[in-house]
Amino acid sequence: MFEVLSAAEAERVTALYAPLADAVRELIDATIRTEVDDDVVHQARTTIEAVTASLRQRTRPAKVSYRVDGRPLPLGNAAIGVCNPIAAPIVVQHDGGGRCTSDFVLGSAYEGPPGLVHGGVSALVLDHMLGEAASEGLSKARFTGTITVKYLRGTPLGPLRCDAWIESAEGVKVFARGTISDAAGVTVEAEGVFIEPAWARESQ
């Protein structure tokens, strides 16, 4: 179910809740890495439980999505939701011509092998970024049909970059490619097929 927001309301919601998500993301990192004494842990748990209860006083319905100017506003998206603290802190830049990029930092919450990004997180990032490219900034309904991910070497936690682009199109299919890189070069690459669903074709 979609709820349409005005541009002004979308800006207000993002400005209010995105910093909260950032604060919780920092809390997640601190929770993973902390070695404080027992009494500090118990006090923190009590405080967090109280804050959680206060935030639950009013919540939006499950399965509700928002749209602004005909495009989705992914507040809770698992990959880039601005209100989702478990989403990677990715801000997508669209360069035109079916290309997009993002520079971001992955910390302890995204770890797989020690010091390295979990392979599933890399796949999630690439799936989303290829989808951003294939859908031309989420402006067209094109969803993942298949995606193939190739891990060239371990991706270190820390500053990273993802590039994605449309390689070709054939009927209702768009073929996209992308990479994740660190300062030394590409660590993961992917290619995928994105398909325009029947309902989108019928509405044209």
Side-chain angles (χ1 to χ4, degrees):
M1 184 173 74
F2 285 108
E3 181 176 326
V4 178
L5 298 180
S6 67
E9 178 63 10
E11 185 176 346
R12 185 196 72 80
V13 168
T14 300
L16 179 62
Y17 294 113
L20 174 62
D22 289 338
V24 177
R25 191 177 287 116
E26 288 294 321
L27 174 62
I28 292 170
D29 184 78
T31 301
I32 293 168
R33 299 172 58 195
T34 189
E35 293 184 340
V36 296
D37 295 336
D38 293 7
D39 59 335
V40 178
V41 172
H42 293 316
Q43 181 181 358
R45 176 181 169 184
T46 299
T47 302
I48 291 166
E49 288 172 345
V51 170
T52 300
S54 71
L55 292 174
R56 287 196 184 279
Q57 292 179 72
R58 180 181 173 190
T59 59
R60 63 184 173 88
K63 301 181 181 179
V64 173
S65 298
Y66 300 94
R67 297 185 74 85
V68 180
D69 295 331
R71 295 190 180 192
L73 177 65
L75 297 180
N77 185 285
I80 61 161
V82 295
C83 294
N84 187 346
I86 66 169
I90 295 173
V91 177
V92 183
Q93 305 293 329
H94 288 274
D95 304 327
R99 297 189 67 93
C100 61
T101 61
S102 182
D103 293 288
F104 54 97
V105 177
L106 294 183
S108 300
Y110 307 99
E111 186 175 56
L116 299 176
V117 177
H118 192 291
V121 173
S122 296
L124 174 67
V125 170
L126 282 162
D127 179 43
H128 184 82
M129 289 292 288
L130 267 64
E132 285 266 1
S135 66
E136 300 177 39
L138 306 182
S139 66
K140 298 182 179 180
R142 292 169 180 164
F143 302 114
T144 310
T146 60
I147 186 169
T148 302
V149 181
K150 183 176 181 180
Y151 299 90
L152 306 181
R153 59 183 172 88
T155 301
L157 295 173
L160 298 166
R161 177 184 177 89
C162 187
D163 294 273
W165 60 93
I166 292 176
E167 193 159 68
S168 62
E170 180 181 312
V172 298
K173 297 180 179 179
V174 174
F175 301 85
R177 297 181 64 89
T179 61
I180 293 175
S181 306
D182 65 3
V186 175
T187 63
V188 190
E189 59 187 23
E191 58 183 9
V193 181
F194 294 80
I195 301 171
E196 185 176 317
W199 59 261
R201 292 171 239 159
E202 291 166 358
S203 64
Q204 292 177 358

